[in-house]
Amino acid sequence: MDLDLNAPHSMGTTIIGVTYDGGVILGADSRTSTGMYVANRASDKITQLTDNVYICRSGSAADSQVVSDYVRYFLHQHTIQLGQPSTVKVAANLVRLLSYSNKNMLQMGVIIGGWDKYEGGQIYSVPLGGTILKQPFAIGGSGSSYLYGFFDQAWKEGMSKDEAEKLVVKAVSLAIARDGASGGVVRTVIINADGVTKNFYSGDSLPLWHEELEPHNSLLDILASSSPEPMST
Amino acid sequence: MEALAMKDSAVSHNGTERTLYPYVTGTSVIGMKYKDGVIMAADTGGSYGSTLRYKSLERIKSIGKHSLLGASGEISDFQEILRYLDELILYDNMWDDGNSLGPKEVHNYLTRVMYNRRNKFNPLWNSLVLGGVKNGQKYLGMVSMIGTHFEDNHVATGFGNHLARPILRAEWREDLSFEEAVKLMEKCLLVLLYRDRSAINKFQIAKITDEGVTISQPYALKTHWGFSAFQNPSKGAEGSWFINRIMQTGTRMLVEMAYW
């Protein structure tokens, strides 16, 4: 009440991580913006840390990339020393360590998701400040503001892989519809005991929401079709 | 993702750093002594500015065998404090001398940590409530982010100071039973739920006695909205800006004022 909470600072992105019965689904949009300009319309915000752990990045592209690089490097060494795949918990805690100790300089909010043989599929959230939270599902980025209500209603424990992926794609798609800083395609990464599957859902394959129209090649096609809408004068 | 320019750089000219503001915060914690020990309560919410972002955060943890720590403020700093305390307790156990750190010692340690950070202009952005029992002696104290510390029969952080402590000053007694203490605590929690924007209806109450620590599973309280004045606030003067019928116990006082 007496503090100037400069907190939720717009972070251009929508990122989601969801656990399901058997693993995790990570999802993200693909828009990288520099102010009002879309610098990259097909970026991949879901980055690999190890064979079994991936990270969804939001906030400053530079900060999240460099932290991911450091964590990947540390985890590589850790895996060699351990003699087996690193656990998701260790990966998440390494991210937390770097985020927390550099909290004054970094601006990034991430979601870490993966599968290991001890705890199965897990999702960890590391928002601004370096808090670490294990959650059954997590949302982040500027687009996530539009999804709190959606998940409150649509999330269920123990979904199947297909249900969970459909939920993630629907959610990212809804966020893209309303968040200017989110857009492009929906990328998903599914991580479970069998390995990693990456999927790609382009704009035209996503459902249309309120006030969105069917895309056409040209007006000419519409005019040429059997019962065109009359052009008004 | 934008490459954002840091608006208020937290790195000053000489290269040192200072924490400027919290991001994920917990709201009030309330603690009170009762007949057999100490009870402490907090909701399980983590706010992110005005958004109630996290709803299952545990803000009360047990420390060693004799203490409970509740925290409000920045959660990442609370998690770091728990790591410091883990190490403290570990070293204490490694002595293997039959001694164990009591709540008074833990409180003192936390005070030193908080005050030293404050002196470096890089505070841990928390208000901490430390309660415990050792050898039958009850202890309850508080430390703020600037190192102010004190003990009392009942303490609260944040909004709790303004809303809960007056209730406790009026109704707290040394010989409260567990049941009475819980009821009193819930009275405070309900007021905070009504009047603190960052409070959520999901609480944990923890108790500590000579026997040990119990932290309850999260639970919710019933809220009361059935007052007639709530049903129809404009009754008697449609278009007025306030409830214009004020009922006093016993006497009836009618204040007729119509504002447009």
Side-chain angles (χ1 to χ4, degrees), chain A residues 1 3 8 10 12-13 32-33 59-60 93 96 100 103-105 107 127-129 131-133 135 139 148, chain B residues 1-2 4 8 10-11 17-18 21-23 48-49 53-54 57 74-77 79-80 83 124-125 159:
Chain A
M1 45 193 198
L3 302 160
S10 170
T13 297
T32 306
S33 25
S60 157
N93 272 102
R96 179 215 82 97
Y100 181 77
K103 64 158 73 192
N104 291 331
M105 288 181 290
Q107 227 173 22
L128 244 48
T131 315
I132 183 169
L133 286 166
Q135 299 178 288
I139 57 179
Y148 286 100
Chain B
M1 292 156 276
E2 319 95 279
L4 295 158
D8 295 305
V11 184
E17 295 181 1
R18 47 200 301 258
Y21 32 72
Y23 290 103
Y48 188 70
R53 189 170 182 183
Y54 302 107
L57 219 58
E74 169 66 42
I75 299 300
S76 65
D77 286 344
Q79 291 179 337
E80 192 73 357
R83 280 166 198 267
L124 289 160
W125 208 285
F159 255 82

Side-chain angles (χ1 to χ4, degrees), chain B:
Chain B
M1 292 156 276
E2 319 95 279
L4 295 158
M6 291 299 293
K7 287 200 308 211
D8 295 305
S9 182
V11 184
S12 58
H13 334 280
N14 51 345
T16 53
E17 295 181 1
R18 47 200 301 258
T19 311
L20 287 176
Y21 32 72
Y23 290 103
V24 181
T25 55
T27 186
S28 322
V29 179
I30 319 172
M32 72 171 95
K33 291 184 187 170
Y34 74 105
K35 181 153 64 83
D36 304 322
V38 175
I39 72 167
M40 204 183 286
D43 70 13
T44 63
S47 297
Y48 188 70
S50 56
T51 306
L52 303 173
R53 189 170 182 183
Y54 302 107
K55 298 209 179 165
S56 300
L57 219 58
E58 294 203 4
R59 299 194 289 118
I60 303 181
K61 297 282 182 184
S62 72
I63 312 293
K65 293 197 291 264
H66 305 287
S67 315
L68 272 179
L69 175 67
S72 66
E74 169 66 42
I75 299 300
S76 65
D77 286 344
F78 174 51
Q79 291 179 337
E80 192 73 357
I81 288 169
L82 289 174
R83 280 166 198 267
Y84 288 150
L85 289 173
D86 249 350
E87 196 181 32
L88 185 76
I89 301 292
L90 180 70
Y91 276 92
D92 185 44
N93 287 339
M94 273 165 41
W95 283 104
D96 200 21
D97 57 2
N99 263 325
S100 50
L101 290 171
K104 205 180 174 71
E105 289 83 58
V106 178
H107 186 215
N108 182 252
Y109 173 80
L110 287 171
T111 304
R112 290 299 101 219
V113 169
M114 301 299 271
Y115 184 62
N116 274 294
R117 287 289 296 256
R118 166 261 193 201
N119 283 339
K120 296 193 280 194
F121 282 94
N122 184 208
L124 289 160
W125 208 285
N126 296 109
S127 286
L128 305 169
V129 173
L130 200 291
V133 192
K134 193 176 173 196
N135 300 330
Q137 291 277 71
K138 299 182 283 229
Y139 187 90
L140 181 62
M142 223 195 76
V143 199
S144 75
M145 68 188 256
I146 55 173
T148 312
H149 63 283
F150 55 88
E151 294 170 52
D152 208 337
N153 292 321
H154 46 81
V155 296
T157 68
F159 255 82
N161 269 312
H162 300 100
L163 299 173
R165 302 249 2 243
I167 300 177
L168 295 170
R169 276 183 213 117
E171 300 187 24
W172 180 88
R173 291 175 350 255
E174 183 85 51
D175 59 350
L176 285 168
S177 71
F178 177 65
E179 287 72 28
E180 291 172 316
V182 169
K183 278 272 162 224
L184 184 55
M185 192 63 102
E186 287 178 340
K187 193 169 181 177
C188 296
L189 290 173
L190 214 47
V191 167
L192 287 170
L193 184 59
Y194 291 140
R195 299 295 181 172
D196 180 0
R197 250 176 50 165
S198 33
I200 63 166
N201 194 358
K202 197 169 173 190
F203 306 100
Q204 282 184 300
I205 298 195
K207 87 170 202 286
I208 183 163
T209 61
D210 249 329
E211 269 100 62
V213 172
T214 326
I215 306 182
S216 76
Q217 280 293 88
Y219 74 101
L221 287 170
K222 283 199 181 147
T223 52
H224 310 283
W225 301 92
F227 300 100
S228 59
F230 286 5
Q231 241 82 291
N232 205 348
S234 299
K235 182 171 174 182
E238 311 306 330
S240 72
W241 292 106
F242 55 94
I243 302 170
N244 78 336
R245 281 176 68 234
I246 304 167
M247 285 262 285
Q248 302 261 334
T249 41
T251 43
R252 193 191 249 208
M253 213 160 71
L254 269 172
V255 181
E256 301 255 46
M257 269 195 254
Y259 275 23
W260 294 96

Side-chain angles (χ1 to χ4, degrees), chain A residues 107-189:
Chain A
Q107 227 173 22
M108 49 174 260
V110 298
I111 297 174
I112 297 111
W115 185 96
D116 61 51
K117 68 184 187 197
Y118 299 105
E119 300 284 324
Q122 301 143 72
I123 293 285
Y124 292 87
S125 213
V126 179
L128 244 48
T131 315
I132 183 169
L133 286 166
K134 182 170 188 293
Q135 299 178 288
F137 73 90
I139 57 179
S142 58
S144 68
S145 308
Y146 307 96
L147 298 177
Y148 286 100
F150 175 71
F151 271 91
D152 276 346
Q153 187 233 35
W155 161 261
K156 280 187 300 287
E157 194 79 53
M159 285 187 283
S160 73
K161 177 161 74 103
D162 288 327
E163 285 179 315
E165 204 197 4
K166 282 194 174 60
L167 184 70
V168 168
V169 173
K170 186 174 182 184
V172 179
S173 162
L174 281 167
I176 287 173
R178 291 294 184 174
D179 179 29
S182 299
V185 305
V186 180
R187 293 191 199 276
T188 64
V189 173

Side-chain angles (χ1 to χ4, degrees), chain A residues 3-57:
Chain A
L3 302 160
D4 171 26
L5 297 176
N6 265 339
H9 201 122
S10 170
M11 293 189 287
T13 297
T14 306
I15 50 173
I16 302 181
V18 146
T19 57
Y20 72 92
D21 179 28
V24 298
I25 318 258
L26 298 176
D29 74 310
S30 70
R31 178 172 287 186
T32 306
S33 25
T34 317
M36 283 286 136
Y37 176 66
V38 178
N40 187 349
R41 67 179 170 104
S43 33
D44 188 359
K45 303 180 187 181
I46 308 177
T47 301
Q48 187 189 30
L49 294 179
T50 68
D51 289 339
N52 56 322
V53 182
Y54 279 67
I55 183 171
C56 294
R57 304 178 291 113

